[in-house]
Amino acid sequence: ELKDVEKAAKRVKIAIENNEKIAVVGDYDADGVVSSVIMMEFFDDIGVDVKLKIPNRFEDGYGISPKIIENLDADLIITVDNGISAVEAANVCREKGIDLIITDHHTVPDTLPDAYAIVNPKQSDCTFPTSEICGAQVAWYFIAAIKEKLGIEYNLSKFLDILAIAIVADMMELKGINRTMVKNGLKKINKMQRPFFKAVQNFYKKSSFTSDDVSFLLAPVINSSGRLEDATLSYELIRSKTEVEAMQNLEYISGLNNQRKEIEHELFEQAVLSVDESQNIIVSWGEGWHEGVIGIVASRLSRRYKKPAIVFSITDGKAKGSARSVGTINILEHISNQKEYLLGYGGHKGAAGMALKVSFLDVFKKVLKKI
């Protein structure tokens, strides 16, 4: 029932049969990394050579861009966990004769990219029973459609362990299909079929993994490389073939995670100083705050004060922000209603990102407080 999923799967089948060059473009958070692992592992398992590009937060920015396309030699590009706002990138693909398949779960903007196919349950004409699934789940359903088109046997339950991490890390509501996947994913994590889990178990001295471990250990470890260096490191960690390889990758990423904790602690303490507990939303910012950790600082603020939080990093007159919500408050809706102040925005009801000129910060904060 996912709109365009059949069309997209047919296009992949044709590309495989014609030996076309296929590339996958992921994202640097836990959901994006897991989405990338799912797509690449599937193609590897069925013997199809595919290139992968996970954008670097600091060099490439978020999602697929014209610059990334220029450096990809491909006939078909598939995005995972990004692309729904990539109008410019889609136009470049059209000009170059590249077919672009977008798989995403973020809120659909007013103008859609001119892509070959868009698989996103948030499209108004998509009949999929729930729109609140993460990017990795969309990629997983897409693979289900591809395997059907190819007429092959393939056990998709092998991905439930890492799907559970993506669902929890991306703050999806734990009900319906999400709850079912996380519940069964936890069982699969504890079977430790991936060397990654065995390495984490030994490194952190865990007897088994609980849902709290997914939230506060596995997801932060996967997220830390994209926050401080390059998310490809976490991709390689999850895909490690042996426990020795996984341990080597984990030791390095654990060092990054410790750095992340120190930076995050410092920023959190600074952000707390600007909190006005009489207000129903927290909006905080600082010059040169590390943009790789503002999301997690926003998350900690929203948990501590039980209200939505937005944290901005200011660089060169531009404020990049990360928002986290609580309860049923749709934070993206409130942010999108302030379009006149924004340079760009995206996300979903639980978490969102945005950018605006520093000169608009005060008025933006005032309007959100009033709302």
Side-chain angles (χ1 to χ4, degrees), residues 30-84:
D31 187 19
V33 170
V34 169
S35 304
S36 302
V37 170
I38 288 171
M39 292 299 295
M40 296 302 290
E41 198 167 296
F42 169 73
F43 282 123
D44 279 355
D45 287 346
I46 65 169
V48 177
D49 187 33
V50 173
K51 288 190 198 110
L52 172 68
K53 169 65 179 177
I54 299 179
N56 181 290
R57 182 191 294 268
F58 310 103
E59 291 168 16
D60 303 308
Y62 170 75
I64 189 168
S65 64
K67 179 184 159 191
I68 284 172
I69 295 161
E70 292 295 337
N71 295 316
L72 276 179
D73 180 20
D75 304 304
L76 174 65
I77 296 176
I78 302 164
T79 73
V80 287
D81 192 34
N82 77 92
I84 199 63

Side-chain angles (χ1 to χ4, degrees), residues 305-326:
Y305 297 102
K306 296 181 174 54
K307 54 187 77 175
I310 307 176
V311 179
F312 288 95
S313 167
I314 299 171
T315 312
D316 300 328
K318 188 176 173 183
K320 280 189 182 175
S322 200
R324 296 293 183 272
S325 191
V326 291

Side-chain angles (χ1 to χ4, degrees), residues 134-177:
C134 71
Q137 288 167 288
V138 178
W140 186 81
Y141 278 108
F142 182 34
I143 285 170
I146 296 169
K147 89 161 186 168
E148 209 169 75
K149 284 281 171 282
L150 294 172
I152 57 172
E153 288 292 316
Y154 190 84
N155 189 351
L156 282 157
S157 73
K158 71 177 288 192
F159 295 119
L160 282 171
D161 50 5
I162 54 175
L163 272 168
I165 300 172
I167 294 164
V168 170
D170 227 47
M171 300 181 71
M172 296 296 106
E173 296 170 333
L174 288 183
K175 59 185 186 185
I177 188 66

Side-chain angles (χ1 to χ4, degrees), residues 101-113:
I101 294 171
I102 292 169
T103 76
D104 201 350
H105 73 118
H106 293 102
T107 299
V108 177
D110 297 336
T111 305
L112 280 173

Side-chain angles (χ1 to χ4, degrees), residues 69-259:
I69 295 161
E70 292 295 337
N71 295 316
L72 276 179
D73 180 20
D75 304 304
L76 174 65
I77 296 176
I78 302 164
T79 73
V80 287
D81 192 34
N82 77 92
I84 199 63
S85 302
V87 172
E88 198 185 341
N91 292 340
V92 172
C93 284
R94 281 273 181 222
E95 287 162 19
K96 289 180 165 289
I98 300 166
D99 282 340
L100 175 64
I101 294 171
I102 292 169
T103 76
D104 201 350
H105 73 118
H106 293 102
T107 299
V108 177
D110 297 336
T111 305
L112 280 173
D114 184 14
Y116 179 86
I118 298 176
V119 184
N120 182 334
K122 285 198 172 75
Q123 293 177 93
S124 59
D125 53 350
C126 180
T127 58
F128 194 74
T130 175
S131 63
E132 291 303 315
I133 59 174
C134 71
Q137 288 167 288
V138 178
W140 186 81
Y141 278 108
F142 182 34
I143 285 170
I146 296 169
K147 89 161 186 168
E148 209 169 75
K149 284 281 171 282
L150 294 172
I152 57 172
E153 288 292 316
Y154 190 84
N155 189 351
L156 282 157
S157 73
K158 71 177 288 192
F159 295 119
L160 282 171
D161 50 5
I162 54 175
L163 272 168
I165 300 172
I167 294 164
V168 170
D170 227 47
M171 300 181 71
M172 296 296 106
E173 296 170 333
L174 288 183
K175 59 185 186 185
I177 188 66
N178 295 347
R179 184 178 177 82
T180 302
M181 281 184 164
V182 171
K183 193 175 174 182
N184 287 282
L186 265 170
K187 289 175 190 168
K188 202 157 187 73
I189 287 170
N190 282 302
K191 286 181 181 168
M192 314 228 183
Q193 287 159 330
R194 291 178 186 272
F196 159 54
F197 293 117
K198 203 78 186 143
V200 174
Q201 182 192 33
N202 292 333
F203 190 84
Y204 290 100
K205 309 283 190 288
K206 303 294 299 182
S207 55
S208 62
F209 293 103
T210 65
S211 55
D212 271 359
D213 292 320
V214 176
S215 290
F216 302 111
L217 176 59
L218 294 169
V221 163
I222 293 169
N223 264 322
S224 59
S225 65
R227 291 188 189 283
L228 295 189
E229 278 192 23
D230 197 298
T232 309
L233 295 164
S234 291
Y235 169 84
E236 287 165 357
L237 169 63
I238 298 172
R239 293 212 62 195
S240 299
K241 296 283 190 286
T242 65
E243 200 183 322
V244 172
E245 184 192 347
M247 191 59 89
Q248 286 170 344
N249 289 330
L250 180 60
E251 281 170 355
Y252 184 77
I253 289 173
S254 177
L256 290 179
N257 198 30
N258 289 335
Q259 273 183 55

